[in-house]
Structure formats: C-alpha cells, structure tokens
Amino acid sequence: MGSFCYHTFPASSHLLVSDFAPGFKSPKLPYLSKQQERWFSRSQGASKIFAYYGLREPPYKLDALEPYMSRKTLEKHWGGHHRNYVEGLNKQLEKTEVLYGCTMDELVKVTYNNGNPLPEFNNAAQVWNHDFFWDSMQPGGGDMPKLGVLQQIEKDFGSFTNFREKFVEAALTLFGSGWVWLVLKREERRLAVIKTSNAVCPLVWDDIPIISLDMWEHAYYLDYKNDKGKYVNVFMDHLVSWNVATGRMARAEAFVNLGEPKIPIA
Amino acid sequence: MRCGIIVKDWQGEVIAALCLIEDAVSTPFAAEGKALWRAMVFCAEIGLHAVIKIILTKPTTRTRRSPPYLSLTTFRSHILHFPNTSRPSFPSSPMALRSLLTRKTTLGLGLRGLQTFSLPDLPYDYGALEPAISGEIMQLHHHKHHQAYITNYNKALEQLEGALAKGDTTSIVKLQSAIKFNGGGHINHSIFWKNLTPVREGGGEPPHSSLGWAIDTNFGSLEVLVQKINSEGAALQGSGWVWLGLDKESKKLVVETTANQDPLVTKGQHLVPLLGIDVWEHAYYLQYKNVRPDYLKNIWKVINWKYAIEVYGKESK
C-alpha cells in the first residue's frame, strides 16, 4: 500500500495524497478510483492537495473465514458496505476543504465533534470501524488470549469466562445496529466491554479499542439470519484474533500506564 | 353427570382434586366439553398461573350391554393463562373450546390482570407479497423477529410489574429502554403488516378520496411523496423506520423517520402513523442485500393504501 505525501504519518492510516508539482510522478496505486486516475493524468497546473481514502483489503482472502463467515457475506460486507462507506466519504470530502490531511483516527475524532457529529462522521467512522473489524478476525482464530492480554483480562474481569459472558451479553442486548468492543479505558486504566450504536467508536472518548464485533444486521444476516447468539459465539470461538489483540495491547501500554510489568525472577 | 378433576404439578405430584356432580348433559361430547370447562375454572379458582396440559378421559356411558371403557384424549395446549377478574364465560360450543385450546398462540389472559401480548396473524400468506418481498423474509420477519419483540416485551412487562409491586424505582427506570424497544417493535410491526397487502388484493393501488387529495395538497403529487419517503428511508443511518404520518393538531401530512424501534409518537405526540416502512436490514437483506433503494422502490407495489385511507378518515375528523 504505497502512498506519496510530504508529511510522515503512521503506517496504519491509508491516506493517499496526490500533488501536482512539476516533475512529480507517483506510482500506479491499487484501488485508485477513476477520478483519481483522471487527476494523475492531468497536466501540471494547480498544486492543490486532495486527500482521498482507499479501501483496504482484509488481511486474509475473502473465503478464508469459511464456514464461520461465508465468502458471500465478506463480499457483500467488505465489497459492498465498506466500499460504499469509503466512496461516500471521498465524495463528501471533495466538497469540504477543512477536513483533509487528517489520519483516519483524527478524522473520526474531528467529525464526531463531541457528540454533535458532522455529516462525514458516519462514513469516516464506519470506514475506521470496518478496517478495525477485519483486522480483529483471522482464520483459525478464537481460542484463548495469551500472556499479557489474558493476565489483564483476568485482572479486570475476574476470569476469561466472565469476560466472554459479558461480551456476549452486551452483543445480545444491543438495541438496533451497533458494535461491541473490548476497550482499554485510558482514564480508568482497565479493560472494559462497551457497546456503541450505529457508527460510534471508542476513539471518540479517547479510549483504545482492542477487539470489535460488528452487530449490524448486515454482518450476520446472510449466514445466521436472526440467530445473533450463534453469530456472537462463533465469533468468540473461531474468529477473534487474539494475536492482533496482543499487538494492540502492547501498543496501548505505551500510552496507558497499567502498572509495573511482571518480571520473572530468574 | 359426574365429573372428577385431578390437578398435578409439573413433576406429577397431585396437588388438588375435585369430584362433583353436574347437570345432566345430552351427549358424551357435551359432557367432555363441560368437564374440561369445569377443570379450567377450577384451576383458576385455586389460583394456578398456567396450565400446560389437559388430559381428558373419554366420558363413559353406561348401558346394560357394554362394559364401561376408558380412553385418554390429550389436549396439547400451549401455556394457558387464566384471568382473575371474572369467571370466564362458557364458550358457545365444545368445538369452540377445543379450538381455543389448540390455538398455537398464547391466549393473552394474564392471571394478575396483566395482559400478555401475542403475535397477530398475517392477513395473507408469507409468499403472497412476492416478488416485492420474498416469502423467506416475510416468514423470518413475522415469525422470528416480531415474535421476539413480543416475547421480550412480555418479559419486560412482567419484570416491570414485579418492580412496581416492590417499589423498586431503579429497576422501573432501567426497564424503560427495554419496554420502549420491544413494545415499539410490536407496535411498529403490527402496523407494518396491515400496511402491506398482495397485489391481487389491491396492493400498490394509489390512494384516492380524502387521503389522495391530502397528499396532493401537502406534497404536490403521489410521486413526490414516494420520492421523499424513499430518499429519507435510504438516507437513514443504521436501523429505523420511515413514516407517512398525520399531525392531528395541524391536520397536515408529514414524512418522518424514527430510529431503531421508536414509534412515530416519539417524534410528535399528535402524530398518527398512516404508513410505515421498515428499513432495518432484516426487512430486506436476504433479497436486496445492501441495495436499500431497490427495496424501497419495489415495496410500493404491495403497499395497502386502503388501510391508510381508513386511518386517515378516522383520525382526521
């Protein structure tokens, strides 16, 4: 996923910045929309900077999560819904001048506007949420978390079973569309299970999400129809990627002081 | 006739018994019915909450020639609840009684005066709205989703009753969101089923008379109204409903959207729903996948304007 820009940015964002200074040739990028290709082929004129977001692929093939999440669901969910959010966001960003140059995280926080979301919030947040969601799953996932994550879960929930119960309960008692998250709360310095409606994500409260589960009906309807319980249990048993969670926890610990590390005595 | 009633709990232990002599009846069939009825009344009298199974022994008629015989007839009834306010009136015939017992839905008569709600029947087959809405969607939507709302609504109401009796304000307030969600789901879907009708029964026929005229006045034309509803429905983020409502105070027609299962009154206390379209994903996903605008375009072919006209006529007086 190559991209050109003047500023450095963390690798997790998928910002594509195109600039038309003379003599500047950028490589052919994948998933470039027709419009972006037109911009590139235009002769050098104005050096206006446009920011566009691209659709990132999940880190596995679309049929890799069978039989727990069918290829058809992934095609419709990623290729349909997620893609629509990205394209919708790009269309909205064309009209406004204030909002580009942000990383995805910043864009979500800015458009949330402290509870009074701007029209771009829905698309931006959903793009972020879905990227996070695809990363939160892996083929051959499920099972138990290991080491640091497990320790932290046991510290904050008592046991892994207790956490799992809380997670499933939150998923099943969510009214309408939304997401269920395992977050690391910055202020309280502990893990918690939270549920959010529609497009809201814990970034807006400055918390650090570790795992997410999409409870919008489009995420499970094709596979499980209205059987939410089965979907959530399958996610916890077979899909959730604790490896990614470990990575995210490790990164989160750089920002949140969770206490002294347990150094084994030799 | 002589009637014997034995009441057992779910583990089979006998908890009550009754022997009595009733007035003579003309046929064994009537005797069966009367005994059954007396048993139900007896259960209500001793304060039973629910009866799961009633087993009748066939009435014996003694004649000089044949020995008496017994056979078991089991009436499988789903949970029966009994009212406590008044003695239930005798149904007109034993056949009515049998059909009462074998109905698949719960009878909706609470023991403590608490009414429980039941799934209303669809006035058409699941597949009757094809190809606008597939039979699979209709079946899941009605039999699973709507039923789940009703079940959870009843559960929340029961919990509310308990909390009210104890004066537990925290629980009373905590239950409000569940009641709003599930109760709203029940209200909205009950209206929705009446808003739809198969093409052969007038589905999709544009409205005439007072409502047609009101639409032209308020929106210009039916096409404009349909466009407005479709665009608002497509733009709705997440789950919700899009409504054509009548504002009883200003006598104007309005197009409104509500989130999740909020009923139309949450947008204005004087609003009466005439037409509601469910834009939750479960209402269209299996057939239209993520193309909600197609669903909205096609649903107009099965919209029951006659019902909307009825409601409009009643509420605009």
Side-chain angles (χ1 to χ4, degrees):
Chain A
M1 184 195 63
S3 44
F4 266 70
C5 70
Y6 286 139
H7 323 281
T8 53
F9 57 91
S12 58
S13 83
H14 36 272
L15 176 65
L16 309 168
V17 179
S18 47
D19 182 272
F20 305 107
F24 199 80
K25 191 101 199 309
S26 43
K28 206 82 173 70
L29 296 154
Y31 305 123
L32 222 49
S33 69
K34 281 253 162 16
Q35 182 159 34
Q36 289 166 283
E37 287 179 335
R38 262 188 277 134
W39 284 119
F40 275 123
S41 55
R42 237 207 233 174
S43 53
Q44 298 87 346
S47 46
K48 214 171 167 199
I49 300 180
F50 292 91
Y52 289 102
Y53 295 87
L55 178 64
R56 231 175 71 194
E57 264 191 344
Y60 35 77
K61 285 225 187 74
L62 292 185
D63 56 4
L65 297 179
E66 297 262 12
Y68 308 111
M69 194 178 269
S70 63
R71 183 174 61 88
K72 204 158 148 223
T73 301
L74 272 167
E75 275 176 4
K76 286 279 172 276
H77 198 174
W78 173 77
H81 290 268
H82 194 178
R83 195 187 293 274
N84 281 342
Y85 288 129
V86 170
E87 288 175 0
L89 178 63
N90 286 339
K91 266 202 215 85
Q92 282 175 319
L93 288 180
E94 267 176 42
K95 301 187 192 121
T96 158
E97 296 224 334
V98 190
L99 286 175
Y100 41 70
C102 306
T103 61
M104 209 43 155
D105 295 33
E106 286 175 8
L107 186 65
V108 168
K109 284 192 208 166
V110 162
T111 47
Y112 184 65
N113 206 9
N114 276 318
N116 227 340
L118 304 176
E120 293 84 2
F121 173 71
N122 196 68
N123 283 329
Q126 282 292 76
V127 172
W128 192 93
N129 289 341
H130 281 92
D131 276 340
F132 191 85
F133 180 51
W134 303 132
D135 287 339
S136 301
M137 295 194 290
Q138 68 171 73
D143 212 19
M144 293 268 285
K146 316 229 174 5
L147 305 172
V149 178
L150 184 60
Q151 273 175 20
Q152 192 65 32
I153 287 180
E154 284 177 348
K155 184 163 151 220
D156 292 328
F157 292 99
S159 69
F160 179 71
T161 330
N162 200 15
F163 152 71
R164 194 182 188 280
E165 257 176 45
K166 274 213 164 59
F167 195 86
V168 172
E169 194 209 327
L172 296 177
T173 55
L174 178 67
F175 291 147
S177 310
W179 299 77
V180 189
W181 308 82
L182 170 65
V183 287
L184 180 63
K185 285 191 165 291
R186 231 186 256 259
E187 299 285 312
E188 298 169 36
R189 292 196 227 151
R190 48 165 296 152
L191 289 174
V193 169
I194 60 172
K195 45 187 183 187
T196 58
S197 313
N198 293 356
V200 181
C201 77
L203 283 187
V204 304
W205 301 304
D206 218 19
D207 290 329
I208 304 174
I210 308 289
I211 286 282
S212 80
L213 174 58
D214 191 352
M215 288 306 294
W216 282 61
E217 281 176 329
H218 62 236
Y220 59 87
Y221 215 76
L222 290 176
D223 293 333
Y224 300 100
K225 308 282 187 313
N226 75 320
D227 198 349
K228 282 201 282 198
K230 194 154 168 228
Y231 167 62
V232 184
N233 281 305
V234 158
F235 173 80
M236 286 306 280
D237 290 334
H238 300 286
L239 287 175
V240 64
S241 171
W242 289 114
N243 297 326
V244 165
T246 312
R248 287 170 180 161
M249 265 304 271
R251 186 171 176 274
E253 287 188 30
F255 297 93
V256 180
N257 184 4
L258 288 173
E260 289 301 315
K262 272 217 188 97
I263 301 171
I265 303 169
Chain B
M1 73 167 206
R2 295 189 191 96
C3 174
I5 300 168
I6 301 172
V7 182
K8 296 183 183 173
D9 72 5
W10 65 280
Q11 278 174 327
E13 304 292 325
V14 174
I15 50 178
L18 176 67
C19 297
L20 40 77
I21 299 175
E22 291 271 1
D23 304 325
V25 290
S26 47
T27 64
F29 195 46
E32 218 175 85
K34 202 149 191 202
L36 186 58
W37 183 250
R38 192 66 189 85
M40 282 168 57
V41 170
F42 179 50
C43 291
E45 281 168 346
I46 62 175
L48 280 187
H49 178 62
V51 172
I52 300 170
K53 203 194 289 194
I54 296 183
I55 303 175
L56 273 188
T57 58
K58 228 172 161 120
T60 62
T61 50
R62 290 208 181 220
T63 67
R64 277 186 209 104
R65 272 158 300 180
S66 59
Y69 67 95
L70 281 175
S71 68
L72 282 174
T73 316
T74 306
F75 277 86
R76 209 143 242 284
S77 63
H78 293 255
I79 309 291
L80 288 174
H81 299 264
F82 294 94
N84 68 341
T85 44
S86 60
R87 225 181 130 114
S89 55
F90 197 94
S92 50
S93 69
M95 271 324 288
L97 186 55
R98 267 192 220 221
S99 58
L100 198 69
L101 289 174
T102 50
R103 258 216 342 232
K104 280 210 173 95
T105 56
T106 56
L107 292 180
L109 309 163
L111 180 61
R112 296 168 297 282
L114 176 72
Q115 195 183 8
T116 52
F117 296 88
S118 57
L119 187 66
D121 285 326
L122 282 187
Y124 37 79
D125 285 334
Y126 286 137
L129 300 179
E130 302 247 8
I133 305 180
S134 72
E136 198 190 1
I137 288 185
M138 288 305 291
Q139 185 178 16
L140 279 167
H141 204 171
H142 179 250
H143 194 63
K144 290 272 158 69
H145 289 273
H146 192 177
Q147 181 63 67
Y149 288 128
I150 291 174
T151 313
N152 292 331
Y153 181 45
N154 286 335
K155 213 169 29 174
L157 286 179
E158 228 184 280
Q159 289 173 328
L160 178 69
E161 218 208 4
L164 281 168
K166 283 190 282 185
D168 183 1
T169 311
T170 322
S171 302
I172 294 174
V173 174
K174 218 164 51 157
L175 283 165
Q176 295 309 311
S177 64
I179 292 177
K180 182 180 182 200
F181 182 70
N182 292 299
H186 177 44
I187 297 172
N188 294 341
H189 284 89
S190 304
I191 300 174
F192 189 50
W193 307 135
K194 292 190 242 182
N195 280 152
L196 302 171
T197 192
V199 175
R200 63 165 185 271
E201 289 179 30
E205 266 172 33
H208 47 77
S209 72
S210 54
L211 180 58
W213 196 78
I215 289 178
D216 288 339
T217 319
N218 279 280
F219 300 103
S221 72
L222 181 63
E223 283 74 36
V224 171
L225 171 65
V226 168
Q227 260 303 101
K228 185 153 200 258
I229 290 184
N230 285 356
S231 65
E232 299 232 355
L236 193 147
Q237 298 297 342
S239 311
W241 290 73
V242 58
W243 301 95
L244 170 66
L246 167 68
D247 187 332
K248 276 176 83 165
E249 217 185 4
S250 67
K251 302 271 192 277
K252 279 195 192 303
L253 293 178
V254 293
V255 169
E256 277 288 353
T257 53
T258 53
N260 293 349
Q261 292 295 352
D262 295 350
L264 184 59
V265 285
T266 55
K267 280 284 168 98
Q269 51 171 299
H270 300 287
L271 291 179
V272 172
L274 301 175
L275 274 190
I277 300 183
D278 191 352
V279 289
W280 278 64
E281 282 169 335
H282 64 235
Y284 61 88
Y285 209 75
L286 291 177
Q287 190 179 354
Y288 295 96
K289 306 294 185 307
N290 64 325
V291 194
R292 199 192 276 177
D294 277 356
Y295 159 68
L296 288 168
K297 207 167 49 163
N298 283 317
I299 199 174
W300 292 102
K301 301 185 188 143
V302 287
I303 287 284
N304 185 9
W305 282 107
K306 283 193 229 137
Y307 171 74
I309 293 171
E310 253 179 66
V311 178
Y312 180 74
K314 217 171 18 160
E315 299 287 348
S316 59
K317 293 251 166 27

